[in-house]
Amino acid sequence: MDNELYSQIISVRNLILAWKKARKHKTKKDYVKEFEKDTLGNLLKLQRELIEQTYFPKSLVTFILRDPKTRKISKSAFRDRIVHHAIVNIIEPLFDKGFIYDSCANRIEKGNLFALNRFDEFKRKVSKNNIHKCFVLKADIKHYFQEVNHEVLINILKRKIKDENVLDLINKILINGQEEINRGMPLGNLTSQFFANVYLNELDYFVKHKFGVKYYLRYVDDFVILHENEEQLKIWKMRIDEFLRQELKIELHPDKSRIILLSQGVDFVGFRNFYHFRLLRKRNINNMKKKIEMFRYDLMSKDKLLESFHGWTAYAKWANTFKLRRNMLTLSAQ
């Protein structure tokens, strides 16, 4: 039946699962405590709005992050985050099985480390175990989340979703808080992360099946193609940009999309990747140093510093950073 998908999304069982996911690592937040003064009552109220189709997301709370580039992050109300999880719980399996293996972000058993390991595997194959030159097309999409075209996205979703109620609900979430008509997704929504993969899966198939590219990796809107021939990468870069403009109404970032030698170091998922080693980005190191300085001037608690330091150390281990981690530990102990 056409409305079966919507019924699954708004079922009490799915809304409870969505609530559990939305509250994860957030149980001490005031807005979670407030909702959970009457969890079942609030979930049933939310379900009633969804059944009667009177549900509409609350206004987003936006704030600016500068780390390192300026980004506007949109924070949804807790009840709306439950709806986001409820949607993704049901429709993600429909789409994820059609994603390429090397779409790395926001997927089960994928992520940064998966992408880094695949990059290492690709560079060894292209360079014949680091003997030959390896060129890398390192690219990202210009203002990706701001430029996603709603009409294009909905048409992609319609291939697998026939339930108009689901599409209407998704559209309500897409337009919430967006300054331009029919364009943009709130950076920070779970749904935006998922739809980012759905949208650029079109690019993945174009690259992998139209050109037969072997060594292609994408992490959200950042992607790399590794190849021994620089001229071939130039041709692919031009055709990819044409495809993005014509089919997806987006474009490559002119300054951040270029072809470089692997020996120069390729920035990808937070690290500078070379033939034989991997380094942390300088800004990542500097951010940790700033937190240590804040602790030393009593601007950060010891518990907060330790929490940050343990997280940073776990991340830094993915690069060649033994001496750096040792020095940072010494600095934090002073």
Side-chain angles (χ1 to χ4, degrees), residues 60 71-75 145 178 185-189 192-193:
L60 299 167
R71 295 178 296 162
K72 186 173 82 168
I73 306 296
S74 300
K75 187 176 179 181
F145 281 88
Q178 295 310 293
M185 296 191 297
L187 187 56
N189 277 4
S192 298
Q193 296 170 22

Side-chain angles (χ1 to χ4, degrees), residues 122-250:
F122 288 176
K123 77 183 182 187
R124 286 193 297 270
K125 289 181 177 179
V126 174
S127 67
K128 305 294 189 286
N129 287 323
N130 304 326
I131 295 172
H132 297 159
K133 282 185 178 179
C134 176
F135 293 92
V136 182
L137 167 57
K138 167 66 174 71
D140 75 5
I141 312 298
K142 182 180 179 183
H143 303 150
Y144 177 52
F145 281 88
Q146 296 166 241
E147 296 295 330
V148 165
N149 184 285
H150 294 180
E151 185 178 353
V152 172
L153 174 59
I154 292 295
N155 284 335
I156 295 169
L157 292 171
K158 279 181 177 179
R159 295 175 198 164
K160 293 187 182 294
I161 298 174
K162 307 303 179 185
D163 190 331
E164 288 295 332
N165 290 335
V166 176
L167 295 170
D168 287 344
L169 178 59
I170 289 170
N171 195 55
K172 286 179 181 180
I173 292 168
L174 285 175
I175 64 174
N176 186 35
Q178 295 310 293
E179 296 172 0
E180 294 193 47
I181 296 173
N182 201 34
R183 184 185 296 174
M185 296 191 297
L187 187 56
N189 277 4
L190 172 71
T191 46
S192 298
Q193 296 170 22
F194 171 66
F195 294 145
N197 275 341
V198 172
Y199 203 82
L200 286 181
N201 190 50
E202 303 297 300
L203 169 65
D204 298 343
Y205 270 73
F206 179 74
V207 172
K208 295 290 290 183
H209 297 289
K210 177 73 173 179
F211 296 145
V213 173
K214 287 184 179 179
Y215 305 116
Y216 165 82
L217 274 172
R218 181 175 61 78
Y219 194 95
V220 193
D221 61 327
D222 289 342
F223 66 89
V224 290
I225 300 176
L226 292 78
H227 202 274
E228 67 273 11
N229 189 309
E230 184 180 12
E231 293 305 313
Q232 179 64 77
L233 288 176
K234 287 179 181 178
I235 293 170
W236 284 343
K237 179 175 181 284
M238 179 183 66
R239 292 184 178 173
I240 286 170
D241 200 32
E242 288 175 357
F243 171 81
L244 291 173
R245 290 170 186 268
Q246 293 173 8
E247 301 298 326
L248 299 181
K249 314 302 181 189
I250 51 180

Side-chain angles (χ1 to χ4, degrees), residues 238-290:
M238 179 183 66
R239 292 184 178 173
I240 286 170
D241 200 32
E242 288 175 357
F243 171 81
L244 291 173
R245 290 170 186 268
Q246 293 173 8
E247 301 298 326
L248 299 181
K249 314 302 181 189
I250 51 180
E251 60 185 280
L252 291 179
H253 197 296
D255 301 324
K256 298 178 182 178
S257 303
R258 57 197 183 100
I259 298 163
I260 52 180
L261 277 166
L262 179 58
S263 58
Q264 295 176 283
V266 177
D267 277 349
F268 188 55
V269 291
F271 297 86
R272 290 191 69 206
N273 299 271
F274 296 84
Y275 279 105
H276 301 287
F277 58 95
R278 186 189 297 147
L279 299 178
L280 273 178
R281 286 176 176 167
K282 286 184 179 179
R283 69 169 178 263
N284 187 287
I285 299 169
N286 291 335
N287 283 345
M288 194 63 239
K289 285 181 177 178
K290 286 178 184 176

